[in-house]
Amino acid sequence: MRADILSTHTAGLFTAAVQRAVELLRAGEVVALPTETVYGLAANALDARAVAKIYEIKGRPAHNPIIVHTADIAMAKQCVTEWPTRADELAKSFWPGPLTMILPRAQVIPEIVTAGGATVGVRWPSHPFMQAVIRASGFPLAAPSANLSNAISPTNAAHVAKQLGDKLGLIVDGGQSQ
């Protein structure tokens, strides 16, 4: 397998890339997507088999939990059992953006996401492509960095293609991460 690389530099290409990413995610596949910090390997966070593929592709140790990316505060609240006042304050101040909050895991989040732990890391990314994919799919995404475990995190699509291009069906090129 060699990954297709789809650009997002026009409105039409952006829309087509969102649609293709969502198709693959709904089918239980893993795709590489841009975020504001690094490129991530994304899978449906509610699908344990799909998340297991992330661990396999990365060579990630099973004891290393994965952050869950959401489209908004409401989706984040569905991933946890408690949403303290402080979480609301932090979310309103720093989301969307690269802040991850660790809160008690809801049953809807499979144990593989949290490496069997009782808590889950949730964040609402600010990258417009990642937001569009999560909204269009309707489910949160488990998404660690799109690199082999213990390798440098990728900040562009070429980095992902070099390390993982033969293990993925799709890499979305959203430009250089910040």
Side-chain angles (χ1 to χ4, degrees), residues 4-120:
D4 290 333
I5 300 176
L6 299 182
S7 176
T8 61
H9 74 275
T10 70
L13 291 173
F14 185 100
T15 299
V18 168
Q19 290 172 345
R20 183 66 182 136
V22 170
E23 284 173 13
L24 290 169
L25 290 164
R26 286 184 177 153
E29 297 302 322
V30 175
V31 299
L33 305 176
T35 77
E36 67 277 22
T37 55
V38 297
Y39 274 65
L41 283 184
N44 179 349
L46 308 180
D47 181 344
R49 285 191 203 131
V51 175
K53 291 177 184 179
I54 291 175
Y55 282 92
E56 181 182 333
I57 290 167
K58 285 182 65 75
R60 186 180 182 96
H63 65 272
N64 195 351
I66 296 176
I67 294 171
V68 172
H69 295 67
T70 68
D72 52 33
I73 293 172
M75 186 181 279
K77 287 180 177 181
Q78 293 173 0
C79 298
V80 302
T81 58
E82 295 175 33
W83 190 264
T85 302
R86 187 71 177 136
D88 234 5
E89 294 166 357
L90 289 167
K92 288 175 183 170
S93 295
F94 298 106
W95 279 359
L99 170 71
T100 300
M101 289 191 275
I102 311 299
L103 297 164
R105 173 184 69 87
Q107 287 298 108
V108 70
I109 301 297
E111 287 188 11
I112 191 169
V113 174
T114 65
T119 59
V120 63

Side-chain angles (χ1 to χ4, degrees), residues 105-135:
R105 173 184 69 87
Q107 287 298 108
V108 70
I109 301 297
E111 287 188 11
I112 191 169
V113 174
T114 65
T119 59
V120 63
V122 291
R123 95 178 182 93
W124 175 10
S126 65
H127 196 285
F129 189 82
M130 189 68 144
Q131 287 184 1
V133 169
I134 298 168
R135 280 193 306 274

